[in-house]
Amino acid sequence: MLQAVNQKGELVPIWKMNRDEIKQKRKQQFFCPACKEPLMIKAGLKNTPHFAHYSKSNCALSGEGSYHENGKKDIYLWLSDQGYQVQLEHYFPDIKQRADVFLEMKKKRIAIEYQCAAITIQEICRRTEGYRSIGVIPIWILGANKLQRKGTQSLRIPSNDQTFLHQFYPSLPLSIFYYCSNTKRFIIYQDLIFLSKTNTFGAIHISSLSSLLWQDLFQPRYRNKALFRKYWQQHKQKWRNKPSSPYQRQENEWRQWLYLHQLNVQTLPSFIYLPITTQFQLKTPPWIWQSRLYIDLILKKEYFTTDQAIHLLRDHYHSSDCFPLVLPTNDPVGEYLRILVRIGILKDVSETKYQVNRTTV
Ligand SMILES: [Zn+2]
């Protein structure tokens, strides 16, 4: 951490001090503001001076490396240089939580968490709920050590990191933020869509911290439609032609299930595996749940409702707790059914009831 309590109970911001001042401070004792354990000073040539727990500590503030400490300091200075009222490692006694950076604006209070270490979904939810319970908006920025680039406009987002997807208003695109404290760059990834469980395509915006303003984080940026179509088609082509590996248990079970219905990946109609913007809400890849709808509803029934379709796929949904930073949004199955109406596979009977168009299916 960047500040600690001295013997007099004063908060000492070691990160602001020069080498001589730090040398003086080494004679004193410092304590963790959270667990009160004694701390050591870490001040090398390369890193921001900071305090650290001794190795055996169980404290929540222990184990934050210099990558994290540097980034926290960068974000703090970046905001204070823009004239915002900000505090570093601000403690909220009511919820017993400490925000890396706390930003107070006229109408909003915002806690920024710069997350570089592994964290459980339960812990993200607990901290997010904690902030909301006292009227503070949480914003999570991931360490770019977690960034997995797949292409110019494509990232792999492992399932645990999907919890960090933000959507502030239904009209704004899905967003996820990364910051690299080595290169001092923000990577803002927006309007992303999942092609599989972890592979995504979106709009990647990379900017150095010095040329970025706070409000630039929230400016909507959208994926390039033409590039996306090309990427999706290539992906689908590959998926149709590539045999599945023996290690992909879910994929192999699905292929067997298709086979039992006298179908295979090559003979599935082209409206299976369509891109759905709300795919992130589902645990299974698009081709699996879309083919399930096809085989168990579209081929078998003349009429069906949205609720029947959702019920059929109830085990395919993530729990809504998985996305504490996303507002309740559209349903992926409903989104898919509306596309099927648009391309003439289904007909609208009412807002929630569909008829299968037997001339096209
Ligand atoms: Zn501690």
Side-chain angles (χ1 to χ4, degrees), residues 52-263:
H53 287 83
Y54 292 91
S55 53
K56 59 180 185 337
S57 169
N58 293 322
C59 175
L61 296 183
S62 116
E64 294 180 339
S66 52
Y67 187 82
H68 175 260
E69 302 290 3
N70 289 339
K72 187 159 63 174
K73 183 199 69 177
D74 291 346
I75 294 169
Y76 167 80
L77 289 175
W78 173 61
L79 290 169
S80 79
D81 286 350
Q82 292 172 63
Y84 290 110
Q85 198 187 330
V86 270
Q87 289 174 64
L88 201 57
E89 294 174 352
H90 181 77
Y91 185 64
F92 299 90
D94 293 352
I95 53 168
K96 298 190 174 65
Q97 279 176 232
R98 193 174 308 269
D100 287 333
V101 176
F102 178 49
L103 168 61
E104 280 179 283
M105 301 167 102
K106 266 186 214 138
K107 285 184 182 160
K108 285 178 191 158
R109 302 195 305 148
I110 296 166
I112 300 173
E113 294 271 6
Y114 180 50
Q115 190 65 38
C116 305
I119 181 170
T120 62
I121 293 177
Q122 289 73 18
E123 183 61 14
I124 305 164
C125 292
R126 193 189 65 80
R127 286 202 224 163
T128 296
E129 288 313 313
Y131 288 129
R132 292 207 176 123
S133 73
I134 53 164
V136 170
I137 303 167
I139 293 181
W140 295 75
I141 297 168
L142 292 179
N145 56 340
K146 288 174 167 281
L147 185 103
Q148 299 182 40
R149 192 94 183 243
K150 289 211 54 157
T152 52
Q153 298 299 321
S154 168
L155 296 185
R156 180 177 183 274
I157 306 180
S159 36
N160 257 21
D161 292 353
Q162 291 170 22
T163 313
F164 297 108
L165 290 170
H166 290 68
Q167 191 172 29
F168 300 100
Y169 298 101
S171 58
L172 287 177
L174 211 55
S175 307
I176 187 164
F177 307 100
Y178 298 88
Y179 176 70
C180 177
S181 64
N182 291 334
T183 60
K184 312 284 179 219
R185 289 198 297 191
F186 254 105
I187 299 97
I188 305 162
Y189 190 45
Q190 290 170 308
D191 195 28
L192 54 140
I193 190 163
F194 280 81
L195 288 87
S196 67
K197 280 190 206 177
T198 55
N199 183 12
T200 67
F201 186 99
I204 298 181
H205 180 79
I206 301 174
S207 174
S208 67
L209 195 60
S210 55
S211 55
L212 195 77
L213 295 174
W214 164 250
Q215 57 265 36
D216 292 336
L217 285 183
F218 312 101
Q219 182 198 317
R221 297 171 189 84
Y222 296 94
R223 77 191 114 86
N224 180 305
K225 294 274 185 300
L227 282 180
F228 173 62
R229 197 168 306 127
K230 207 171 138 195
Y231 188 83
W232 187 276
Q233 278 165 356
Q234 282 169 352
H235 218 77
K236 194 164 171 178
Q237 194 75 32
K238 231 160 89 188
W239 161 81
R240 270 198 197 273
N241 296 323
K242 204 176 114 199
S244 113
S245 109
Y247 304 106
Q248 295 170 294
R249 199 175 61 92
Q250 189 187 34
E251 183 70 17
N252 291 316
E253 283 174 5
W254 173 73
R255 286 180 187 228
Q256 271 175 15
W257 173 80
L258 279 188
Y259 184 73
L260 291 174
H261 291 84
Q262 280 105 46
L263 282 164

Side-chain angles (χ1 to χ4, degrees), residues 1 32-37 39 53 57 59-62:
M1 65 212 74
C32 173
C35 70
K36 318 291 180 212
E37 278 175 34
L39 300 173
H53 287 83
S57 169
C59 175
L61 296 183
S62 116

Side-chain angles (χ1 to χ4, degrees), residues 271 293-294 297-299 301-306 309 333-350 352-361:
F271 59 84
L293 278 183
Y294 171 61
L297 276 184
I298 297 173
L299 286 182
K301 301 220 186 274
E302 192 185 347
Y303 294 96
F304 65 90
T305 64
T306 312
V333 175
E335 185 183 336
Y336 181 60
L337 296 177
R338 282 189 297 278
I339 296 177
L340 294 187
V341 170
R342 211 166 65 217
I343 60 177
I345 305 300
L346 300 177
K347 287 185 222 166
D348 269 325
V349 177
S350 72
T352 55
K353 195 174 179 188
Y354 301 95
Q355 181 183 13
V356 178
N357 185 352
R358 287 289 165 226
T359 57
T360 52
V361 180

